[in-house]
Amino acid sequence: MLPPPNFSYDADTKYVLNVKFHIVYENEENPVFPDEIIVNSQQVNQFGEAEIMEILKDMNVTFNPHNIFFKYKGFDVSYNSDVTNGLQNGSSISSLGVTDNNAYNIYFVNYTHIGSAYATQGNTRAVFSFSTMSDIIRVQVLGHELGHCFNLLHVFNNYNSSQCEHVTRDVNSPLYNANVAGDFVHDTPAQSFQSWFNGCEYIYNPNSTDCTGEPYVDVVPANYLGYDSDSTCGYHFTTGQAVRMRTHLQNPPMPHILQTFNTIESLYEPFEIIPYAGTIIRSVTDNNDGTAEVCRNTLLRHRFQKSFDYVFTNVNPSDPTFATINDLPEIINTTYTFGVQINQVDPTITNDFFVDCNRQPFCQIEDFVQGRVISTKVLGSMNLTLEELNEIQVKDPELYDKLMSEYYHIITKETESGAIKQTVIYKE
Ligand SMILES: [Zn+2]
């Protein structure tokens, strides 16, 4: 498909696209892969956040140089034997199961119905067999299928048809058709389905020709949209392919593509904020059933997606001040607005992230585990009796009834985390 005749193009626009991952296993009892898969040098048999983040990183590293960024929107796990074994044609959205209309949807399955991975041309979803996410081919396969999502065609497209892309790059030649044939990209040479290379140099073969009989020349290995798999030559998109991808995003042919767009600012925001208990105890309430409600100050875990070189400014000294693309940084002790820089977006810009300090206390139910009772006839007297309470005694609902009458009692109960509830009573 050609760009619309009057398309607009801006090389500097940054596209931020939401991405949601969907893991499809056969069934709940046996949620494992059929093959051995290595992700980040570790053999894995299930995908979790660590593996998904590694995949997200590779997507960003591949596309960020072309001003295309992926904003993580989480992952889900579902169970469908037909889908994960490729028995269902995944060409319609509903047949793949869960879809987020506001994101690019990346599915992971055991097998697909056509090959090991596919994407719908110019659309917002791609399906990968788990095995393609192994370290050695992951980068290539992600670049290839997402390239299709951004409207790229194979560099050898139509090579064996009478409508083939001609070898000539001379725009004044009557044979010139590189912009309207093949992959519609001028700077990817016309080429066959398979080419031969000596190192990274194309091996000229007078018998390997376009459909007019002109031998192919200057074919470059390791284009993401080719099929050769020698990563030593450096996987790449050409400038013309980058223009075609960005033209697609700038002039989306289907309205739902616009729904996947996010703001540049969103990249500076954590993908997840999890409240957790700080160390300051605000209150301990005896539930009189062997437990206490312990309320502490609330802190927030700000979790930032893998993919970028971050600099964090104005953070608590115990929080990180920078992170690399391989980190999954968390700002956990900062209770005030801090700054975030992302080198891949713009190393000169710092965005403030506002931390709300008006928070409800963080309350949890905890078991009492020990305690003691100090008893005395007269408060302030040195004449005391001390009874240590073990876990059974401190939870005893008849603890009060068993105390001596006409005595003051200082009852101290301690929870599993060390929170203390102290009560002073006078028993009549
Ligand atoms: Zn393809």
Side-chain angles (χ1 to χ4, degrees), residues 155-167:
V155 285
F156 52 81
N157 191 48
N158 275 343
Y159 76 101
N160 55 355
S161 123
S162 60
Q163 309 294 310
C164 78
E165 177 177 356
H166 300 154
V167 168

Side-chain angles (χ1 to χ4, degrees), residues 272-276 299-303:
E272 187 176 42
I273 301 175
I274 304 173
Y276 73 101
L299 294 176
L300 300 173
R301 280 176 72 194
H302 300 93
R303 309 189 66 221

Side-chain angles (χ1 to χ4, degrees), residues 25-66:
Y25 293 125
E26 217 172 277
N27 56 56
E28 211 157 345
E29 290 71 44
N30 188 29
V32 294
F33 307 151
D35 303 300
E36 283 195 0
I37 295 160
I38 308 290
V39 179
N40 205 9
S41 306
Q42 305 275 328
Q43 189 184 321
V44 294
N45 59 12
Q46 286 188 37
F47 276 3
E49 188 184 80
E51 290 73 31
I52 298 286
M53 280 291 170
E54 192 66 14
I55 293 163
L56 176 76
K57 177 194 74 180
D58 286 341
M59 290 167 56
N60 271 302
V61 167
T62 299
F63 288 92
N64 288 177
H66 308 294

